Amino acid sequence: MSELDVLEAVRERAAGEPSRTQRRRRPVATGVRGAVLLAVGLLAFLAGTGGWFGTPSLVSWLIAIAGAVVAYRGLGDVLRFAVGPGVDVLFWVLSGWLILVVGLAVVAPLLPVPDPSDTAGSLLEPAMSRPDLFSSHPLGTNNFGLDMLSRVIYGARASLTISVVAVAVGLIVGGTIGVIAGYRRGLTDRVIGTLVNALLAFPPLVLLLALATNLKPSVGTLLLGLSILAVPLNVRLARAVSMQVAEREFVEAARSMGATHTRVFFRELLPNVLPSLISYSMIVVAALIVAEASLSFLGLGIRQPEPSWGNMIAEGQQGVFEQHPHIVLVPGAALFLTVFAFNLIGERLQSRWDPRRSRL
Amino acid sequence: MTNTALAGTRKSPGDKATPPTRRRTVPTVRHLARRFTELVIVMLLASFLTFSFASLLPGDPTIAILGPERPPEDYAALRQEMGLDDPFLLRYFHWLWDALHGDLGRTPIPPGGEVMERILTALPVSAEIAFLAVLMAIVIAIPLALACASRPGGRLDRMITASVFGVISVPSFLLGLVIILLLVNQTGLFPRNGWQRLGDAGLAQNLYFAFLPALTLALNEAAIYSRLLRNDLVATLREDFILAAKAKGMPKSRVLLREALRPSSLGMVTIAGVSLGRLLGGTVIVETLFGLPGLGSLIVKAASDGDVILMQGAVLVIAFGYVVVNALVDISYTWLDPRIRRERA
């Protein structure tokens, strides 16, 4: 046990939290046990969801859920063995998921998956086939025989592109405006603050629906709407953080040494505000993915047959979900895990980078 | 300092930045007056944005009303009749003037009728669902937060914190579908959809239909509240008066319930108030899912019909509701916690 570990243990004990060193086991045994648990768990999960127990029943669901839990525990042990005792398992799992989804979404056109929206081409495919990893449709097919795996991947492509671009717009436009407001104060700040408050008076989905009343549902419309949502959020945060930063000594020092406003903005404020903004952006991405999915779920975002996680879940309405749970569960799980990942990573980054949070 | 919910912090630095007043007027009155001015300005801006979203953007409402294949004279006549050829600002002021008199116009798109009237029939449904959801969320959140705070960093705390994060990440339409599958189709305990008005069918029937939609919203809210309350509780438990209570031998449960809960709950109460305002327009998904005749369904219908007039009215009401509730929460917050009052004075 190194000196740092001891210090860590003492600090945690002082904070009333159980020490990590207490839970440490012999590493190799943990690793082996973890690998076995992971394998068994995955197998049980696949068996439970893959229809090896005949038609879906309560038993197969329970087996699948138990398998997922066991696999998660096993993975935790493997990670503890590979990385160290204090590893944040959830963070690793969700980061892995995010990398997988983003990677697949980027290379989607190169993947050997069927077309996600060509209903004519899928006429001969079985409709509503259940997920089976060893068939040609690992995640099953939908009502039109379209491959669910391919649709989930292309849905990710749409969702992620739109949300990330909108957040980037929000970050650049909103961040700039916010930092200016926080630095200049006075009338500029008042005007911007009031405008932001007015914009935030519209619940996200309501604003998107209002835009959808007049505009044709398209990627461009969605981008516009989501950017309008992202900008005021970033303005508010950038304003609050830069206000704090602007009061610090080094800004005053820079000013008294004759630095121009532009220089202070780029060299002093921006580098200090950016970490908070970026970690917050992860959470905004999560919110925008949900907003886009909600709109598509209502049939006013991305329209069928083009896939989006939201409109795929909407296919499960009117009793389809009860007969064919995978229609909702496959895109639902993808959506949930992605949003969860963005939320959690954003939160972890925030507690590390955001000066306001770390003080708590 | 509106929009507390999204920031997750209770005090934005902007408030601290306002210079201390030197005048000796009653501070609360001054504060109220300033809030009120701000409120009016934000409302004016919100109304302008509402009007712009619906009217300034490209797209012709007359096509939505008459359908696509008509002679151009028909469209021109309708545009004339609806005043669409007037300058944008003039139209805005007409609309605002009428809105201030309680007239949001008539919509020609079936089922038609006075927009104000349709909003007023829909509003109670959404308001009730929102209120019930917040209530249920508080009831769920308090025990969870207490369980977490009794042993911070313990197994239970970590489990609840992780699942809280999970629940926050489940979009309401997904949650709603799962709830329908579990509680409607498996057990048949609750109705799939529909609504009974409080006046027509009595409280029991009304709550019977309102339960599931409110629950769907409440789970998400409860996750947020319990997280906030847990953090506040943990902070409070580090204070000296808790140490004093413990030193005197007060049992742990009593310390938590009688001493720590009340001073810690302020943050949650604020957020609950703010989400009441937010949920008023945030019931869209749940109303669609459960077939409730509320504001959310009204908006979705307006959006899919391209009914600009109805949309404008409904959005205006929602935005106003949000701004007003937020202001009320802010004022009551100042009133609840004397420290803030002094800080501002």
Side-chain angles (χ1 to χ4, degrees):
Chain A
M1 200 154 64
S2 76
E3 214 175 306
L4 273 177
D5 282 350
V6 176
L7 274 179
E8 177 89 312
V10 169
R11 205 168 51 216
E12 280 182 359
R13 190 90 45 95
E17 297 187 2
S19 133
R20 283 168 188 157
T21 44
Q22 265 179 359
R23 296 197 304 269
R24 180 184 277 186
R25 294 197 181 83
R26 267 169 301 154
V28 179
T30 315
V32 172
R33 196 191 58 181
V36 172
L37 283 182
L38 182 61
V40 171
L42 277 182
L43 218 63
F45 179 74
L46 291 180
T49 51
W52 288 0
F53 296 99
T55 49
S57 64
L58 196 62
V59 180
S60 67
W61 284 117
L62 285 179
I63 289 172
I65 292 169
V69 171
V70 169
Y72 179 78
R73 295 299 293 269
L75 189 65
D77 281 346
V78 171
L79 280 175
R80 264 188 283 279
F81 168 65
V83 184
V87 64
D88 188 346
V89 183
L90 197 59
F91 180 80
W92 278 77
V93 171
L94 290 176
S95 303
W97 165 261
L98 214 54
I99 291 168
L100 179 76
V101 169
V102 172
L104 286 178
V106 169
V107 299
L110 305 174
L111 294 175
V113 289
D115 191 286
S117 54
D118 178 18
T119 44
S122 68
L123 276 177
L124 296 176
E125 300 290 335
M128 298 286 193
S129 74
R130 296 199 58 211
D132 182 356
L133 279 197
F134 304 105
S135 70
S136 56
H137 301 294
L139 296 181
T141 58
N142 78 351
N143 197 16
F144 299 103
L146 292 169
D147 184 57
M148 294 286 279
L149 176 65
S150 149
R151 282 174 72 75
V152 165
I153 293 173
Y154 277 89
R157 210 173 147 83
S159 272
L160 289 173
T161 317
I162 292 173
S163 311
V164 170
V165 171
V167 165
V169 171
L171 194 66
I172 295 167
V173 177
T176 314
I177 296 176
V179 174
I180 290 174
Y183 181 52
R184 291 282 306 266
R185 297 277 181 85
L187 187 65
T188 325
D189 185 30
R190 275 281 176 79
V191 171
I192 291 173
T194 316
L195 245 169
V196 164
N197 276 346
L199 262 178
L200 286 171
F202 302 95
L205 196 53
V206 171
L207 195 140
L208 290 178
L209 284 170
L211 289 177
T213 317
N214 250 2
L215 297 173
K216 284 214 169 60
S218 72
V219 174
T221 312
L222 273 173
L223 261 178
L224 176 74
L226 294 180
S227 305
I228 293 179
L229 289 181
V231 167
L233 292 175
N234 279 298
V235 170
R236 213 187 33 193
L237 185 72
R239 171 183 172 274
V241 178
S242 67
M243 227 174 227
Q244 279 187 342
V245 175
E247 279 172 9
R248 301 270 293 274
E249 304 80 13
F250 58 83
V251 177
E252 211 182 317
R255 286 292 300 149
S256 53
M257 281 193 286
T260 58
H261 286 304
T262 329
R263 191 187 158 86
V264 169
F265 182 90
F266 282 107
R267 299 299 295 270
E268 312 293 342
L269 292 176
L270 215 54
N272 285 292
V273 175
L274 219 50
S276 306
L277 276 183
I278 288 175
S279 46
Y280 184 55
S281 287
M282 298 297 251
I283 292 170
V284 178
V285 170
L288 292 191
I289 291 177
V290 171
E292 182 274 314
S294 306
L295 201 64
S296 299
F297 176 80
L298 293 173
L300 293 159
I302 296 171
R303 298 227 169 156
Q304 296 280 9
E306 289 306 319
S308 131
W309 290 341
N311 71 26
M312 287 172 74
I313 292 172
E315 287 174 36
Q317 284 177 300
Q318 272 97 41
V320 177
F321 183 26
E322 289 85 336
Q323 300 300 314
H324 309 280
H326 74 278
I327 292 291
V328 168
L329 291 182
V330 169
L335 177 63
F336 164 69
L337 284 174
T338 310
V339 173
F340 195 8
F342 274 114
N343 271 334
L344 192 90
I345 293 170
E347 149 81 19
R348 295 285 196 266
L349 289 181
Q350 256 186 348
S351 55
R352 180 164 299 183
W353 280 350
D354 193 334
R356 299 184 308 156
R357 285 304 222 46
S358 56
R359 257 189 334 176
L360 285 177
Chain B
M1 50 174 264
T2 43
N3 302 306
T4 341
L6 288 153
T9 50
R10 270 176 291 151
K11 269 182 284 176
S12 73
D15 294 311
K16 267 187 276 167
T18 50
T21 48
R22 261 158 276 119
R23 265 181 279 170
R24 305 213 165 194
T25 44
V26 188
T28 352
V29 174
R30 269 183 58 83
H31 179 60
L32 283 182
R34 248 192 60 189
R35 282 262 19 157
F36 189 73
T37 335
E38 205 182 300
L39 188 75
V40 172
I41 296 174
V42 168
M43 277 190 171
L44 270 175
L45 264 173
S47 74
F48 184 72
L49 287 174
T50 305
F51 193 75
S52 324
F53 287 147
S55 299
L56 198 61
L57 295 164
D60 192 341
T62 52
I63 297 176
I65 295 165
L66 294 175
E69 314 225 327
R70 291 286 204 90
E73 303 89 68
D74 286 11
Y75 296 122
L78 188 64
R79 287 186 70 84
Q80 190 75 44
E81 190 193 314
M82 290 172 70
L84 285 175
D85 291 331
D86 294 340
F88 173 72
L89 275 180
L90 191 66
R91 279 193 291 144
Y92 167 65
F93 282 119
H94 274 307
W95 176 71
L96 186 67
W97 186 248
D98 287 344
L100 286 175
H101 291 80
D103 177 16
L104 291 170
R106 291 180 64 84
T107 167
I109 293 170
E114 291 283 340
V115 170
M116 197 59 170
E117 209 179 290
R118 283 178 68 183
I119 289 174
L120 284 181
T121 23
L123 188 63
V125 181
S126 303
E128 187 191 333
I129 297 287
F131 182 73
L132 279 177
V134 170
L135 211 64
M136 281 160 91
I138 292 178
V139 171
I140 300 171
I142 289 179
L144 282 181
L146 284 173
C148 285
S150 69
R151 282 194 64 189
R155 182 178 285 263
L156 191 67
D157 183 26
R158 277 180 291 132
M159 260 177 65
I160 294 181
T161 307
S163 27
V164 153
F165 245 116
V167 172
I168 292 177
S169 307
V170 184
S172 53
F173 54 95
L174 198 56
L175 199 62
L177 278 175
V178 174
I179 283 180
I180 289 174
L181 184 70
L182 292 180
L183 291 182
V184 178
N185 296 322
Q186 298 290 330
T187 63
L189 282 177
F190 291 97
R192 167 68 183 82
N193 52 18
W195 183 255
Q196 292 285 330
R197 282 189 186 276
L198 195 55
D200 303 342
L203 187 64
Q205 271 294 310
N206 172 261
L207 287 181
Y208 179 59
F209 279 90
F211 182 77
L212 281 190
L215 181 70
T216 310
L217 287 175
L219 287 178
N220 266 315
E221 296 293 318
I224 299 170
Y225 300 171
S226 67
R227 218 168 108 73
L228 189 75
L229 184 60
R230 178 224 173 254
N231 290 345
D232 285 351
L233 269 172
V234 170
T236 309
L237 286 174
R238 293 205 186 111
E239 302 239 356
D240 290 342
F241 72 94
I242 298 290
L243 193 67
K246 276 185 190 160
K248 284 183 181 170
M250 196 184 249
K252 198 171 185 180
S253 56
R254 206 178 144 85
V255 170
L256 271 174
L257 283 171
R258 297 293 299 270
E259 301 290 327
L261 185 58
R262 212 178 79 107
S264 312
S265 56
L266 208 62
M268 185 183 72
V269 171
T270 320
I271 294 291
V274 173
S275 44
L276 203 60
R278 189 167 39 84
L279 283 181
L280 207 58
T283 52
V284 176
I285 291 284
V286 173
E287 282 177 22
T288 319
L289 213 53
F290 290 93
L292 308 182
L295 268 186
S297 309
L298 206 64
I299 291 180
V300 173
K301 187 171 163 23
S304 37
D305 292 353
D307 190 342
V308 176
I309 301 168
L310 183 60
M311 179 59 91
Q312 278 173 351
V315 172
L316 188 72
V317 169
I318 286 171
F320 272 26
Y322 180 78
V323 175
V324 169
V325 171
N326 239 331
L328 286 179
V329 168
D330 197 26
I331 289 166
S332 67
Y333 187 56
T334 327
W335 178 70
L336 275 173
D337 190 348
R339 280 170 302 182
I340 298 169
R341 217 181 314 161
R342 243 175 282 137
E343 219 169 82
R344 277 194 181 139

